[in-house]
């Protein structure tokens, strides 16, 4: 009797060990994020990371039996060499299942050859120069492209009797994409470009450019500046130099007037018309719940960057679920191609051929709602793909 009990005890203990062993065999799901955590673009990284973390908080930190492990690496700004080294570390040393992140184009471009060689599925959560995803078959993008969000504002300007425009863009990939798309679409529709300027990505001083724009007397200035501080600086110069009083309006992509900075810009933002894929004021139950959860958790308003982080994690979770936790890179890309996501911005799809996002682009005007400034959507262009350049 005693021996039987002991034997049964040993058997149970063994079962326990085997059970625990089977469990321990499921390694963590490693997700390596390269983000501009410190330096001049830290606000971009903060929003992307918070979007990612909100997704994990809402959907659980285990997918298909694998515990989610986020590894965040700081590229410290637009630093392609640093980004390349960090991605290399993530794929060779950490052996991540996915690479994600990339606020800035130069960092995403530097990652392309590394993730191609290592065959690691990579989700671009912001970087928006058109060409990026064509640089690696293992990349897909959930954010936007500059040509995609620029084309609609050029068409809107033409329809709204704006005939003379000056363009001002940041002097690197997304700015050049925005400038090319705006000029092409606007002039093809009979508009005239009366001047253009490209401003340095690092610490631009807008004052001299703004004076030149004023002197050229356009009806509007088309602006692309990366999300964050630069939009605040530009709009300050616009106000101080009296461009509004001179009858020059601001139009552009939503980056220079995004939700993270709009309150800091203040009332001079009122009336700015832009086209973009996301506004915190987007009217839908999914977005209302998103904004509420985000504001409660992080005590700030979400912007489009956060939605890139959130939707990027939705892609990672869905791939992992569909593949039952076994991330084969080619199978992962097959799952991503054609994937649909019910995003806070509205439904989006990853194009099966280009691996780029197809989505609605909204036309918005800055207005006050409950005493706060928002980009209020009033028109839209459905199913916009990247028109390229
Ligand atoms: C980019 O570097 O691709 C980029 C950065 C900020 C934006 C948009 C694009 O707001």
């Amino acid at each position: 009797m005693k021996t039987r009990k002991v034997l049964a005890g040993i058997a149970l203990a063994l079962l326990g060990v085997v059970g625990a062993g089977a469990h321990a065999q499921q390694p963590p799901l490693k997700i390596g994020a390269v983000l501009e955590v410190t330096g001049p673009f830290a606000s971009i990284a903060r929003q992307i990371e918070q979007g990612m973390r909100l997704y994990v908080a809402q959907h659980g930190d285990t997918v298909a039996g694998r515990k989610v492990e986020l590894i965040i690496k700081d590229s410290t700004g637009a630093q392609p060499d640093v980004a390349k080294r960090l991605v290399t570390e993530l794929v060779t040393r950490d052996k991540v299942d996915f690479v994600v992140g990339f606020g800035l184009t130069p960092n995403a471009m530097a990652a392309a050859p590394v993730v191609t060689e290592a065959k690691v599925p990579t989700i671009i959560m912001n970087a928006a120069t058109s060409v990026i995803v064509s640089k690696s078959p293992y990349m897909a993008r959930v954010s936007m492209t500059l040509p995609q969000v620029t084309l609609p504002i050029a068409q809107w300007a033409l329809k709204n009797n704006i005939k003379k425009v000056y363009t001002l863009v940041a002097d690197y990939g997304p700015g050049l994409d925005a400038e090319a798309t705006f000029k092409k679409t606007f002039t093809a529709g009979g508009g005239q470009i009366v001047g253009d300027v490209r401003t340095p990505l690092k610490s631009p001083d807008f004052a001299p450019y703004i004076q030149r724009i004023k002197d050229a007397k356009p009806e509007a200035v088309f602006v692309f500046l990366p999300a964050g501080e630069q939009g605040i600086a530009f709009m300050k110069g616009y106000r101080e130099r009296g461009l509004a009083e001179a009858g020059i309006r601001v139009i552009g992509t939503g980056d220079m007037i995004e939700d993270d900075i709009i309150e800091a810009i203040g009332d001079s933002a009122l009336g700015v018309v832009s086209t973009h894929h996301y506004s915190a004021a987007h009217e839908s139950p999914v977005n209302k719940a998103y904004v509420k959860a985000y504001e409660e958790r992080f005590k700030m308003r979400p912007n489009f960057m956060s939605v890139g982080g959130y939707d990027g994690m939705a892609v990672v979770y869905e791939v992992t679920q569909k593949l039952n936790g076994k991330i084969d890179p080619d199978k992962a890309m097959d799952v991503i191609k054609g994937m649909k996501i019910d995003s806070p911005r509205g439904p989006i799809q990853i194009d099966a051929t280009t691996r780029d996002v197809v989505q609605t682009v909204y036309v918005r005007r800055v207005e006050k709602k409950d005493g706060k400034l928002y980009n209020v959507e009033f028109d839209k262009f459905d199913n916009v793909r990247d028109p390229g350049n």
Side-chain angles (χ1 to χ4, degrees):
M1 196 61 191
K2 226 179 173 184
T3 350
R4 275 177 84 180
K5 255 195 181 166
V6 170
L7 279 176
I10 290 170
L12 274 176
L14 277 174
L15 267 177
V17 170
V18 172
H23 209 75
Q25 269 164 22
Q26 292 277 9
L29 182 76
K30 289 191 181 179
I31 304 164
V34 176
L35 292 169
E36 301 75 12
V37 178
T38 57
F41 300 99
S43 65
I44 291 179
R46 185 195 311 129
Q47 287 271 359
I48 294 177
E49 183 177 343
Q50 287 176 170
M52 291 171 65
R53 293 204 185 277
L54 179 60
Y55 191 90
V56 175
Q58 289 179 339
H59 296 83
D61 66 359
T62 304
V63 205
R66 297 184 64 180
K67 182 111 198 279
V68 172
E69 189 184 314
L70 291 183
I71 306 170
I72 311 272
K73 300 273 188 186
D74 179 9
S75 67
T76 72
Q79 302 282 6
D81 293 343
V82 178
K84 186 167 192 174
R85 174 170 55 75
L86 296 176
V87 177
T88 306
E89 276 173 29
L90 285 170
V91 300
T92 56
R93 207 181 57 199
D94 298 310
K95 302 209 179 334
V96 295
D97 296 283
F98 294 89
V99 170
V100 302
F102 306 102
L104 299 176
T105 288
N107 300 338
M109 291 295 277
V114 184
V115 301
T116 304
E117 170 83 25
K119 298 191 178 192
V120 180
T122 298
I123 313 298
I124 306 294
M125 291 172 161
N126 180 60
T129 302
S130 177
V131 78
I132 295 170
V133 280
S134 73
K135 295 292 178 192
S136 172
Y138 293 98
M139 280 182 165
R141 174 157 46 196
V142 293
S143 49
M144 60 153 174
T145 80
L146 260 302
Q148 180 183 49
V149 295
T150 298
L151 196 123
I153 191 71
Q155 290 177 341
W156 182 87
L158 288 166
K159 248 200 278 168
N160 286 271
N161 237 6
I162 296 175
K163 300 234 166 55
K164 288 183 184 176
V165 171
Y166 201 111
T167 62
L168 178 145
V169 300
D171 191 8
Y172 77 123
L176 306 188
D177 267 7
E179 185 195 81
T181 303
F182 188 86
K183 284 184 174 174
K184 194 160 97 186
T185 315
F186 192 62
T187 55
Q192 189 192 347
I193 301 293
V194 297
D196 56 25
V197 62
R198 297 174 179 177
T199 57
L201 178 59
K202 285 179 190 149
S203 348
D205 170 14
F206 292 109
Y209 309 125
I210 290 171
Q211 187 58 46
R212 258 186 268 156
I213 294 169
K214 191 176 179 189
D215 296 343
K217 299 189 174 33
E219 289 155 1
V221 51
F222 165 84
V223 180
F224 165 77
L225 290 170
E229 299 288 308
Q230 296 197 12
I232 304 175
F234 172 79
M235 289 303 292
K236 183 166 178 276
Y238 173 82
R239 184 183 68 237
E240 286 174 358
R241 301 242 163 184
L243 270 69
E245 291 77 4
I248 303 167
R249 43 195 305 196
V250 177
I251 58 173
T253 66
D255 306 80
M256 47 91 188
I257 198 93
E258 45 93 3
D259 283 292
D260 214 11
I261 58 169
I262 193 165
E263 281 289 315
I265 293 171
D267 285 358
S268 55
L270 285 166
V272 169
V273 174
S274 63
T275 44
H276 227 208
H277 55 306
Y278 179 73
S279 164
H282 178 63
E283 292 281 352
S284 78
V286 176
N287 187 50
K288 284 225 162 78
Y290 178 73
V291 172
K292 186 165 181 279
Y294 193 97
E295 289 185 342
E296 272 171 17
R297 203 172 186 89
F298 304 114
K299 313 290 173 226
M300 63 167 75
R301 196 192 292 184
N303 71 359
F304 69 97
M305 296 283 178
S306 77
V307 173
Y310 190 80
D311 291 342
M313 289 304 286
V315 171
V316 166
Y317 271 50
E318 181 150 346
V319 168
T320 308
Q321 263 151 11
K322 287 245 162 81
L323 299 182
N324 290 319
K326 292 188 195 67
I327 312 301
D328 169 90
D330 293 300
K331 287 186 186 148
M333 295 316 294
D334 284 344
V335 174
I336 292 171
K337 291 173 190 168
M339 187 186 285
K340 291 181 175 163
I341 299 169
D342 198 10
S343 165
R345 75 191 98 165
I348 64 169
Q349 185 166 16
I350 306 301
D351 184 88
T353 322
T354 62
R355 290 164 276 106
D356 226 332
V357 58
V358 181
Q359 60 191 334
T360 300
V361 177
Y362 303 88
V363 190
R364 314 95 47 85
R365 186 184 293 107
V366 179
E367 288 171 15
K368 272 202 174 146
K369 268 175 65 177
D370 304 325
K372 295 210 171 109
L373 296 161
Y374 280 96
N375 292 296
V376 178
E377 296 165 354
F378 64 91
D379 203 355
K380 61 181 179 153
F381 293 66
D382 284 324
N383 287 317
V384 185
R385 332 178 141 259
D386 174 41
N389 258 311

